[in-house]
């Protein structure tokens, strides 16, 4: 059976520096933006700057000012190249749907800076309805979904 890990970083402030981190890796040539969705009018643009992504995420998150740390940043990785970046992206999108982030703006970056294939996922913890997405036991639930996905056939 293939193995993978889905790791959620600690919730971070409202600056969305996770976008800066990933875009810096893109500039260095060790990462690439492979997926983004639910970015409203930005969705149809040919080129989107990191500032535009960050501004959209900040404005999206500002619908609930009670949430002090709205940044959701996670990684999904496998051992070596057991899974390719496209497979990791599809797994991550399914996990995010199950964690109730389906309608949120989301960025997914593939990284090539380690010997293990991995991706980074960035979104907001504010849901489409303006309420905080339930994060109690989120890491444990994410890995339960991951294990269910990995034990399904085919990969």
């Amino acid at each position: 059976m293939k193995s993978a890990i889905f790791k959620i970083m600690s919730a971070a402030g409202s600056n969305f520096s996770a976008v800066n981190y990933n875009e810096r890796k893109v500039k260095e040539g060790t990462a690439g933006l492979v997926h983004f969705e639910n970015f409203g009018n930005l969705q149809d643009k040919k080129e989107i700057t990191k500032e535009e992504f960050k501004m959209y995420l900040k404005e999206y998150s500002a619908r609930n000012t009670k949430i002090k740390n709205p940044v959701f940043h996670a990684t999904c990785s496998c051992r070596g190249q057991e899974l390719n970046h496209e497979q990791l992206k599809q797994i991550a999108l399914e996990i995010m749907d199950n964690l109730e982030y389906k309608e949120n703006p989301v960025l997914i970056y593939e990284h090539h800076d380690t010997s293990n294939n991995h991706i980074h996922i960035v979104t907001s913890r504010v849901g489409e309805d303006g309420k905080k997405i339930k994060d109690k036991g989120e890491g444990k639930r994410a890995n339960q979904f991951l294990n269910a996905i990995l034990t399904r056939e085919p990969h």
Side-chain angles (χ1 to χ4, degrees):
M1 180 177 92
K2 299 196 185 300
S3 64
I5 297 169
F6 193 92
K7 183 174 191 269
I8 301 171
M9 316 301 177
S10 298
S14 58
N15 200 18
F16 285 91
S17 56
V19 175
N20 291 345
Y21 169 77
N22 283 287
E23 288 291 332
R24 186 179 78 245
K25 292 286 192 173
V26 169
K27 209 173 218 175
E28 293 169 358
T30 58
L33 177 65
V34 293
H35 183 82
F36 70 97
E37 66 183 2
N38 301 325
F39 274 87
N41 61 349
L42 293 180
Q43 206 63 45
D44 298 328
K45 285 186 72 178
K46 295 238 184 294
E47 297 256 337
I48 305 167
T49 66
K50 83 175 175 193
E51 286 76 21
E52 288 174 308
F53 278 135
K54 285 175 63 175
M55 185 57 67
Y56 191 93
L57 287 164
K58 286 177 186 181
E59 288 173 3
Y60 182 90
S61 299
R63 294 181 297 159
N64 188 330
T65 57
K66 292 180 186 163
I67 301 172
K68 298 297 178 217
N69 296 310
V71 178
F72 176 99
H73 183 195
T75 61
C76 186
S77 61
C78 66
R79 189 180 312 117
Q81 276 78 53
E82 279 189 346
L83 297 164
N84 64 39
H85 288 104
E86 178 63 24
Q87 290 169 308
L88 290 171
K89 179 187 91 173
Q90 292 304 323
I91 289 168
L93 287 170
E94 188 171 338
I95 290 170
M96 296 302 288
D97 288 354
N98 283 311
L99 292 175
E100 299 179 21
Y101 288 90
K102 185 174 181 61
E103 304 300 322
N104 281 32
V106 64
L107 299 167
I108 298 180
Y109 294 87
E110 64 182 25
H111 281 233
H112 312 281
D113 55 350
T114 70
S115 59
N116 297 319
N117 282 347
H118 67 286
I119 60 169
H120 286 246
I121 305 104
V122 180
T123 188
S124 172
R125 292 182 173 280
V126 177
E128 167 85 334
D129 59 3
K131 294 180 181 165
K132 185 171 190 286
I133 293 174
K134 292 177 180 61
D135 61 353
K136 185 171 173 52
E138 192 173 55
K140 183 177 181 186
R141 288 185 295 129
N143 279 287
Q144 288 170 339
F145 296 132
L146 174 63
N147 289 333
I149 292 165
L150 292 174
T151 55
R152 268 193 331 236
E153 293 294 332
H155 295 294

